[in-house]
């Protein structure tokens, strides 16, 4: 796979270790930096990795910052990106199985290296259930993640006004 990597000053060491790990297992890396502890702004790295994945230059992306959160929020601003900030194996697996996450966000300050290795491995090797014959509902839901334009917003505002979400039942044929 071709994997885009990016990190701020609080995540560059983990990012570099991930790069080394992935290169040695045969992956191609696009590394957007940063490469030392000079303070930098995490949004730029989240955007760069997000754009690389959304444009198809990279198959997947991995971003690292101190907490994983800021850089994940940034990556998710890029249309087409489904970035999951994860700390343990099960949510990492579900981010792939149910949400088809295409970018993984990791925390250097909160997650140890052994767990990081495990999470990266799960992210790269877990399929999306929406690709299976009995998992079409997952694709149906993931598609809705990118519908938040004016029409969807209007629908959501109506739901808010009504005090509840209406018309969100998954079609029976997808269950
Ligand atoms: C940098 O100090 C830190 O704020 C950043 O790495 C990240 O945790 C932000 O969400």
């Amino acid at each position: 796979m071709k994997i885009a990597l990016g990190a701020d000053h609080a995540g560059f060491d983990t990012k570099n270790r991930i790069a080394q790990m992935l290169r040695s297992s045969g992956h191609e890396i696009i590394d957007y930096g940063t490469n030392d502890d000079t303070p930098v702004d995490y949004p730029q790295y989240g955007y760069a990795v997000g754009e690389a994945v959304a444009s198809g230059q990279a198959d997947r992306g991995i971003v690292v910052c101190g907490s994983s959160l800021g850089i994940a929020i940034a990556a998710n601003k890029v249309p087409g990106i489904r970035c999951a900030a994860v700390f343990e194996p099960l949510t990492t697996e579900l981010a792939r199985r149910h949400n088809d996450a295409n970018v993984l966000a990791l925390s250097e300050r909160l997650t140890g290296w052994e767990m990081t290795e495990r999470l990266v491995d799960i992210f790269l090797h877990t399929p999306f259930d929406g690709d299976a014959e009995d998992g079409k509902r997952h694709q149906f839901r993931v598609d809705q993640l990118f519908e938040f334009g004016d029409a969807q917003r209007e629908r959501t505002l109506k739901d808010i006004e009504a005090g509840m979400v209406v018309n969100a039942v998954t079609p029976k044929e997808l269950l």
Side-chain angles (χ1 to χ4, degrees):
M1 264 191 221
K2 204 183 235 190
I3 300 163
L5 299 179
D8 71 356
H9 56 288
F12 79 93
D13 186 43
T14 298
K15 184 265 294 170
N16 288 346
R17 292 175 81 171
I18 293 172
Q20 208 175 2
M21 162 190 169
L22 296 178
R23 279 197 189 98
S24 64
S25 47
H27 296 286
E28 201 180 321
I29 299 303
I30 309 174
D31 186 348
Y32 291 102
T34 191
N35 288 312
D36 62 41
D37 62 5
T38 307
V40 292
D41 303 326
Y42 59 80
Q44 308 304 324
Y45 299 89
Y47 298 150
V49 170
E51 289 291 356
V53 174
S55 68
Q57 281 180 69
D59 303 304
R60 298 271 178 88
I62 299 176
V63 290
V64 190
C65 70
S67 66
S68 81
L69 302 175
I71 206 160
I73 294 168
N76 275 318
K77 297 276 181 189
V78 179
I81 293 307
R82 296 172 299 277
C83 176
V86 297
F87 300 86
E88 55 77 52
L90 183 56
T91 42
T92 309
E93 183 182 336
L94 289 171
R96 284 291 312 135
R97 287 201 181 284
H98 289 192
N99 314 118
D100 198 17
N102 50 11
V103 177
L104 194 72
L106 297 164
S107 161
E108 178 166 305
R109 291 179 177 156
L110 302 170
T111 306
W113 174 246
E114 276 182 27
M115 178 60 78
T116 294
E117 277 185 303
R118 224 170 125 190
L119 302 183
V120 168
D121 190 64
I122 293 168
F123 174 59
L124 295 180
H125 294 105
T126 305
F128 172 44
D129 285 354
D131 291 332
E133 208 36 60
D134 61 352
K136 297 292 173 225
R137 66 189 178 283
H138 295 298
Q139 185 65 61
F140 186 70
R141 291 165 183 162
V142 163
D143 288 343
Q144 292 174 44
L145 292 173
F146 302 107
E147 283 173 6
F148 203 72
D150 289 344
Q152 175 61 45
R153 183 143 191 262
E154 208 172 297
R155 178 175 146 177
T156 304
L157 292 175
K158 272 194 196 136
D159 287 343
I160 290 170
E161 209 177 283
M164 64 184 295
V165 176
V166 293
N167 299 321
V169 177
T170 307
K172 278 201 182 63
E173 64 274 19
L174 296 178
L175 294 173

